[in-house]
């Protein structure tokens, strides 16, 4: 058992898989010499050498094209897109090529690759370096989407993502990079598509993801003091989605709250609410409520960014108010 | 490795050089080049007929007039090399040995199609023949070909990836990223620009800053400009062999600009009326097939041998047509298969 | 009153606005000489000349970058992205630059531009030329999104889009280009953010968009014969969204069905179902049901594509079954 | 219009030419160039201090060592010309006359910031000064600058758009699309590559196919290669004037590669330790400021005049710091404003 930061867990997870399989390669901007701009790949160049850990030009289409071509010819690339906002400059390779080619070729090719990206706000980087794009990826058929909320899950889900035969978008929450957590020694391998119930409560179910997980747990503690006992579910994997665990938790309390960092419209919360209302309609005791960032680009100033992204206070207050009705 | 110097590229602006300075391939190779060109031509003509009969659903983009390029690489490539083609990919797919029947059946949207109808004419793929896909987003396959080349390099397999693309494709960002990336990683990849002068309905020189969209940009990536008569199978074969061996020898990528012309329209039933008749006539006079046939006869190949090849191609197309038409329509069970490696499409439990 | 095809209405709408304002310019691949690959801009080069109607290279980032820079300096560009699938190669200009710059600059710039794109399936073009990306655009703060379902709306919404001071994604349904409809003579100017109730029924409300509108209307006729009388609402504009009209129609019948062409996850239907359940929960007599394309890339073969995209039969059968419960 | 020939660019690989063959600007211009460089230098130093004091939230990218480029264009541009900068945009913003106070306040995330704190250090914009934005996605602003130039061309306004970018930016697709587009439409736009040898923490030559990422690619767009000593305000001013007048005369775009060096790290508190000390020292010896100061003294400018400029800059930075620090924190009312032109952010009725 060791205490690691979320960023240290990234390198630990990648190293675990690179040791296991020499076909696992890492590429991206500043990932080798510099150990990543978020220091998520420190030590990997030293251990695995410049042939398996490679710096690239600022050419995101080339980075992901290279990963795709390598994956379809026997390798298992882990590609880094520094900030998830930059998916916008290489989205074609992700959504039109990687996501569709297996289907279009009637299964002739598959893409055992992982695309890592720093995701989300909280670092006052402004509108072009703070987006939460988990819903962009979830909306595209052919992509698996994972968002770990703690160091242990980083290692376990990284291993699951690398071993998965399909393309996985692995979103690392920038706001969590410096957070610490206990990580068991030895190999850790998680399974994609398994949500985790982090707190059991009888009154309401809060379903959440990534950076919103610790905030939702903190809000649940506040709510408990106020007499509202919440179940908190960490989705962890948007695709595949563990509807079994999530819907069971929703039916058990009869109330659903989703806490999303992505902007309001067409988020994963909307998908979950729609699934829950279609499949558990008669178990619901009140309207499902989505707590999200408003439908705006993120402001840069710390005071403004803190007002935009769901906070512990806003989560607690919103649940409280809805439960009083 | 340039088969043509840059200054020569300039001179040949008037049109491809009639007498390329290439060492002619041996006779067996030449017959193979002729056979492939004849097969590709016959197939494309049939594809067009079937489109007019409304049997080819959706769209289709023919290589009529550009067969020498696909044939040359088909002959020059090693069986385990990788081909990355575009929506205009029938010829490049067949040139790797993929049988005509399944390709035609794919165009017709039948269950016996190369991808059971799921991909269609723009996405022909046959991994067992090294055809790693046909890509319909302009430029996207260029970085992907780099990835296959990177894989070959890492596995030290000696394989080469070849990506075919058009003149208009040289103006999209992915082209630039792929060329720089291939050079700095010294990847075994060959970029083949089939300059047929036109995009869809717009002349490429009207929206391109240089005269030769690929050759005039080679130096931006530290590459030699290579400009070849794309309607001359011998010249193309020579360029292909040079680029492939350079790549296999670990000397890195090459880019070839092949001057050619699409004799028909861009896609579907496009009559191509936006092109001046004189230009069309000039290029029809440079049709690679009669030209190559004459050259073989001059070289003493008996006409009977050529006629046998032509007859065989005719029969192959007939058989393929029957096979394709006889194919069943793909059933509902196919719709939800093969999104994932487990064969299914489920996103939840 | 004239009968026009949907494709003729595109040129009619653009011409109306180009005549009104000489700062309205058109650019895109093959839009001038060729009149557009879908023949949606035929005649515009002749009427407005090569300075206002320009062919571009295959450089989608340059096309939209040019439109953005022109819009922020006094012009009103209409840019064409041939197939909406190609947004993936220029998504950065759309989502990170055009959509965010007004907010980031505290309102110093605005972007009176329209981006047109052929959208959706039905033409057997395969997975890379058939996508419905309305949900991609709706998920991005700062974009307005319009999808006309008939020639009259094409003209009216085009005028509204061109006159709107904000960036508008104008999605033209490829499957509708050859459909005909009556278009009043003279200037037509619609308003963004107004949905249309196309059919009144007391039993259930079908909310739909684009190519799914005629199919939903046909399904409603079948359902009427089977004793299920449906209201059919054409959303027309996803952003701004006419929740007033839509929610009123939902509350009136107590049952909501959405019919979307986009793939299953995180579509506009999910957003609507979530809004309706949060705001009209106690008006609902049964679970809202989403009818969508499955979460798959689109197959090319006609028989397969027809099975994937919601058909009149599937719409009718799904509503019928849900109403029987 | 090239101030340096390509062959010369090759020669100057060893480093910028110490004695550029430029005709010196007049005295008033030179004093203006010096004043701007001093102001930019003083501002950036203060920004760094405030970052270390944790008053600059988020990030910030300084132009320490690169001031001559921003200053030269600031002096040479017409007041209604357009500037398109990057996340490393403090200098380019100030060089257009934007006051220091609001810029510093924006870095501090205050309500009196240039964008009231909504944009932050990477997105400095002041339309009234022609600063059309600072863009933080590599390469994106290059096609956008083309759009502003297209607008100027259509309106026949005589305005020129100038886009500044780094060496590493030359490898992204948008660069390629923008250059070709600008040339074919003959747009009044100037592309200025500030080659400071490094991307974030990676040396650009290690991932670029050519030695001079911009100059060696000019010919791919039919442009003259222009390589300038970016640490020499006179040489930069000469190049700027040439490119701007060419654009204003309707002769189309230019691309300038300015050789320079960032004296500090890439961003925030990065010490830049990945760079060899000798390289850093060499470039510190070429610091544009002392170099220019010495040149003015040689030219007979009285030291008092220079000291007055330096003192004025010191005072301006002090005033700006007080102004910024005194700014209130932006209030909640700002969060939901200005997504739309109507001032609001509502997406429904
Ligand atoms: C990114 C993108 N933009 C536009 C298109 C539409 N398109 C398909 S083919 C084509 C013309 C391509 O011309 P060229 O590269 O010369 O190839 P050719 O068709 O002549 O073989 C265009 C614009 C596309 N498929 N992808
Ligand atoms: C599309 C994209 N990829 C990566 C980044 C991250 N990034 C920011 S600055 C930078 C280095 C840019 O180097 P250069 O172009 O030389 O400019 P400089 O910082 O040296 O001024 C990188 C990779 C980005 N902002 N956008
Ligand atoms: Mg072409
Ligand atoms: Mg640099």
């Amino acid at each position: 058992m060791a205490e690691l930061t979320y960023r240290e867990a990234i390198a630990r997870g990648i190293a675990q898989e690179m040791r296991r399989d020499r076909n696992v390669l890492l590429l991206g901007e500043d990932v080798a010499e510099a150990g990543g701009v978020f220091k998520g790949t420190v030590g990997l160049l030293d251990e695995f050498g410049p042939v398996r850990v490679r710096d690239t030009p600022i050419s995101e289409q080339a980075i992901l094209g290279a990963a795709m071509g390598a994956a379809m010819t026997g390798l298992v690339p882990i590609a880094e897109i520094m900030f998830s906002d930059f998916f916008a400059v290489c989205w074609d390779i992700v959504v039109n090529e990687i996501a569709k080619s297996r289907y279009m070729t009637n299964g002739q090719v598959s893409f055992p690759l992982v695309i890592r990206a720093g995701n989300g706000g909280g670092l006052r980087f402004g509108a072009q370096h703070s987006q939460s794009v988990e819903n962009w990826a979830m909306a595209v058929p052919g992509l698996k989407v994972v968002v770990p909320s703690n160091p242990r899950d980083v290692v376990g889900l990284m291993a699951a993502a690398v071993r998965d035969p399909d393309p996985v978008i692995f979103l690392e929450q920038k706001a969590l990079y410096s957070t610490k957590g206990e990580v068991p020694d030895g190999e850790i391998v998680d399974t994609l598509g398994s949500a985790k119930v982090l707190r059991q409560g009888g009154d309401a179910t809060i379903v959440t993801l990534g950076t919103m997980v610790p905030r939702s747990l903190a809000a649940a503690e506040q709510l408990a003091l106020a007499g509202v006992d919440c179940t908190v579910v960490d989705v962890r994997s948007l695709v595949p989605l563990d509807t079994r665990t999530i819907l069971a938790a929703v039916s058990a309390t009869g109330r659903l709250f989703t806490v999303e960092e992505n902007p309001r419209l067409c988020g994963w919360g909307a998908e979950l609410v729609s699934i829950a209302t279609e499949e558990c309609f008669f178990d619901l005791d009140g309207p499902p409520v989505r707590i999200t960032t408003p439908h705006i680009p993120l402001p840069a100033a710390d005071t403004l960014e803190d007002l935009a992204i769901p906070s512990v206070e806003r989560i607690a207050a919103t649940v409280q108010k809805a439960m009083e009705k | 490795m340039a088969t043509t110097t840059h200054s020569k590229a300039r001179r040949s602006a008037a049109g491809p050089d009639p007498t390329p300075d290439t060492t002619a391939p041996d006779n067996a190779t030449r017959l193979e080049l002729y056979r492939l060109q004849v097969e590709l031509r016959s197939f494309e003509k049939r594809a067009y007929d079937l489109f007019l009969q409304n049997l080819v659903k959706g769209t289709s983009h023919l290589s009529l007039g550009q067969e020498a390029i696909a044939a040359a690489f088909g002959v020059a490539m090693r069986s385990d090399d990788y081909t990355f083609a575009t929506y205009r990919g029938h010829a490049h797919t067949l040139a790797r040995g993929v049988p005509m029947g399944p390709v035609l059946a794919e165009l017709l949207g039948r269950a016996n199609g190369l991808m059971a109808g799921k991909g269609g004419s723009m996405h022909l793929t046959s991994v067992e023949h090294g055809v790693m896909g046909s890509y319909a987003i302009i430029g996207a396959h260029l970085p992907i070909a780099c990835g296959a080349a990177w894989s070959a390099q890492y596995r030290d397999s000696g394989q080469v990836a070849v990506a075919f693309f058009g003149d208009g494709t040289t103006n999209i960002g992915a082209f630039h990223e792929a060329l720089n990336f291939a050079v700095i990683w010294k990847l075994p990849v060959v970029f083949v620009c089939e300059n047929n002068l036109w995009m869809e309905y717009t002349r490429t020189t009207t929206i391109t800053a240089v005269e030769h969209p690929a050759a005039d940009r080679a130096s931006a990536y530290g590459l030699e400009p290579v400009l070849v008569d794309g309607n001359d199978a011998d010249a193309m074969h020579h360029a292909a062999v040079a680029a492939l061996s350079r790549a296999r020898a670990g000397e890195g990528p090459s880019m070839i600009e092949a001057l050619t012309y699409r004799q028909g329209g861009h896609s579907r039933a496009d009559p191509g009326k936006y092109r001046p008749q004189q230009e069309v006539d000039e290029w029809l006079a440079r049709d690679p097939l009669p030209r190559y046939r004459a050259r073989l006869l001059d070289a003493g190949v008996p006409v009977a041998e050529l006629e046998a090849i032509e007859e065989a191609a005719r029969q192959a197309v007939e058989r393929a047509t029957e096979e394709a038409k006889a194919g069943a329509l793909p059933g509902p069970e196919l719709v939800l298969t093969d999104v994932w490696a487990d064969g299914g499409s489920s996103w939840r439990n």
Side-chain angles (χ1 to χ4, degrees), chain A, chain B:
Chain A
M1 203 65 139
E3 195 185 50
L4 294 184
T5 59
Y6 189 95
R7 68 160 48 83
E8 289 164 341
I10 302 289
R12 156 102 177 253
I14 294 173
Q16 172 184 300
E17 294 308 297
M18 290 187 77
R19 286 184 201 119
R20 181 184 55 82
D21 179 354
R22 67 175 301 280
N23 283 336
V24 178
L25 308 179
L26 176 70
L27 78 163
E29 295 157 19
D30 303 299
V31 297
E33 290 285 349
V37 301
F38 297 115
K39 298 282 168 243
T41 57
V42 171
L44 298 175
L45 174 64
D46 295 345
E47 178 172 357
F48 301 103
V51 174
R52 292 181 65 190
V53 179
R54 300 189 77 159
D55 283 325
T56 68
I58 309 173
S59 307
E60 280 77 7
Q61 293 186 83
I63 293 169
L64 296 191
M68 175 177 174
M72 69 202 284
T73 54
L75 303 186
V76 183
I78 301 174
E80 173 177 311
I81 295 299
M82 199 183 284
F83 287 72
S84 62
D85 312 69
F86 309 159
F87 273 125
V89 300
C90 51
W91 202 225
D92 174 64
I93 305 291
V94 179
V95 307
N96 286 332
E97 318 303 337
I98 292 173
K100 293 175 172 48
S101 292
R102 179 176 175 82
Y103 186 84
M104 291 194 298
T105 61
N106 196 31
Q108 289 186 59
V109 286
S110 52
F111 302 95
L113 60 85
V114 176
I115 305 175
R116 304 168 42 230
N119 188 56
L123 273 63
R124 296 70 173 90
F125 281 169
Q128 293 185 340
H129 285 66
S130 306
Q131 287 168 95
S132 296
V133 305
E134 50 271 29
N135 55 331
W136 293 13
M138 188 179 188
V140 177
L143 300 177
K144 294 180 176 178
V145 187
V146 171
V147 189
S149 68
N150 61 76
R152 191 225 151 273
D153 283 2
V154 164
V155 179
L157 291 173
M158 178 70 75
V162 171
R163 298 178 193 201
D164 193 89
D166 295 310
V168 179
I169 306 296
F170 189 94
L171 297 174
E172 304 169 2
Q173 298 300 100
K174 297 196 293 291
L176 297 178
Y177 274 127
S178 56
T179 58
K180 290 196 167 80
E182 290 294 328
V183 181
D185 301 332
E187 183 176 86
I188 308 178
V189 185
D190 219 320
T191 46
L192 300 185
S194 60
K196 258 192 200 161
V197 177
L198 299 180
R199 186 184 196 284
Q200 287 279 8
D203 301 330
T205 300
I206 299 176
V207 181
T208 183
L209 183 78
T211 304
M212 298 297 101
V213 171
R215 296 189 187 188
S216 298
L217 284 168
E221 294 313 316
Q222 288 190 13
L223 285 159
L225 299 175
V228 181
D229 193 15
C230 296
T231 289
V232 177
V233 182
D234 181 352
V235 177
R236 304 200 317 149
S237 167
L238 290 170
V239 180
L241 186 65
D242 185 0
T243 47
R244 199 177 295 131
T245 301
I246 296 165
L247 295 182
V250 172
S251 294
T253 64
R255 292 303 299 268
L256 166 61
F257 296 86
T258 59
V259 183
E260 305 167 75
E261 185 173 343
N262 53 222
R264 183 74 180 177
L265 300 182
C266 300
W268 60 263
E271 182 60 40
L272 254 183
V273 166
S274 302
I275 294 171
T277 47
E278 180 161 356
E279 303 181 22
C280 316
F281 187 75
F282 299 102
D283 296 337
L284 294 174
D285 305 325
V289 175
R290 292 177 294 153
I291 300 164
T292 74
T293 294
H295 207 58
I296 57 169
L298 276 179
D302 50 355
T303 49
L304 296 176
E305 189 182 32
D306 289 339
L307 287 162
I309 300 173
S311 62
V312 174
E313 296 61 36
R314 173 144 69 101
I315 298 166
T318 308
V319 174
Q320 180 85 46
K321 188 151 162 295
M323 295 301 288
E324 278 162 4
K325 286 221 195 82
Chain B
M1 45 113 1
T3 59
T4 317
T5 70
H6 204 201
S7 54
K8 180 141 179 205
R10 290 252 157 273
R11 269 197 281 100
S12 70
D17 185 332
T19 58
D21 53 330
T22 60
T23 55
D26 61 42
N27 246 337
T29 307
R30 281 186 144 184
L31 286 173
E32 192 56 13
L33 286 167
Y34 185 65
R35 183 187 62 75
L36 258 177
Q37 292 182 82
V38 171
E39 283 180 10
L40 303 180
R41 172 68 51 96
S42 322
F43 180 94
E44 293 290 58
K45 281 183 161 166
R46 176 56 52 89
Y48 189 68
D49 296 342
L50 294 173
F51 186 90
L52 294 183
Q53 292 166 42
N54 197 26
L55 282 165
V56 175
K57 300 301 188 323
T59 184
S60 106
H61 304 73
L62 307 179
S63 293
L64 288 168
Q66 306 181 202
E67 297 92 343
I69 300 162
F73 272 90
V75 170
M77 287 169 77
R78 209 169 79 176
S79 65
D80 61 349
D81 285 340
Y82 298 122
T83 291
F84 288 83
T86 70
Y87 51 88
R88 196 179 303 285
H90 307 167
H92 295 296
T93 301
L94 296 168
R96 296 303 308 282
V98 178
M100 290 182 183
V103 175
L104 210 47
E106 186 66 27
L107 269 58
L108 270 55
R110 305 303 173 97
N112 57 337
L114 196 57
M115 298 95 79
K118 291 174 83 166
S121 77
M122 296 202 287
H123 300 295
L124 299 175
T125 303
S126 180
V127 169
E128 67 170 300
H129 296 89
V131 181
M132 305 308 289
S134 301
Y135 298 78
I137 304 289
I138 290 295
H141 62 308
L142 305 180
I144 299 166
C146 290
W150 174 38
S151 165
Q153 181 186 62
Y154 180 76
R155 291 180 286 106
D156 199 11
S157 66
Q159 294 162 286
V160 177
V162 181
F164 301 91
F165 58 98
D167 40 280
T169 298
T170 59
N171 292 321
I172 199 158
F175 166 86
H176 180 64
E177 294 192 14
L179 266 291
N180 181 70
F181 193 87
V183 169
I184 57 166
W185 284 22
K186 231 168 186 254
L187 298 175
V189 56
V190 180
F191 300 99
V192 184
C193 177
E194 301 185 56
N195 183 356
N196 62 11
L197 307 187
W198 290 84
M199 293 156 44
E200 289 201 32
Y201 314 121
T202 301
R203 185 187 295 280
T204 297
T205 49
T206 61
I207 49 77
T208 306
V210 289
E211 183 190 349
H212 291 102
D216 291 349
R217 284 163 170 168
S219 66
Y221 311 103
L223 293 175
E224 283 295 315
V226 182
L227 200 67
V228 184
D229 180 348
N231 283 14
D232 180 331
D234 288 340
M236 276 310 304
H237 182 263
H238 182 78
V241 168
L244 290 164
S245 33
R246 170 182 152 93
R248 243 184 275 287
E251 292 158 29
S254 308
M255 177 159 62
I256 295 169
E257 178 171 334
L259 295 168
T260 185
Y261 200 71
R262 63 166 150 82
Q263 295 179 348
H266 169 70
S267 68
R268 322 184 81 202
D270 165 29
K273 285 274 161 270
Y274 39 87
R275 307 176 306 174
Q277 192 54 46
Q278 194 200 336
E279 174 181 293
V280 177
D281 296 340
E282 270 172 36
W283 280 97
L284 284 175
R286 295 212 203 91
D287 186 328
L289 268 88
R291 213 169 146 199
Y292 204 67
R293 192 177 200 272
R295 189 180 298 169
L296 292 193
L297 290 174
D298 290 352
V301 178
V303 70
E305 218 170 318
L306 302 183
E307 285 167 351
I309 287 173
E310 291 148 11
E311 178 54 25
R314 253 190 301 280
Q315 288 176 19
V317 170
E318 286 310 331
R319 279 194 308 278
T321 309
E322 283 159 29
E323 179 186 336
K325 284 182 171 174
L329 295 178
E333 70 284 355
L334 282 171
V335 174
L336 299 180
T337 60
D338 277 314
V339 169
W340 307 125
D342 68 8
S345 60
S346 150
W347 48 269
R348 60 178 289 183
N349 58 9

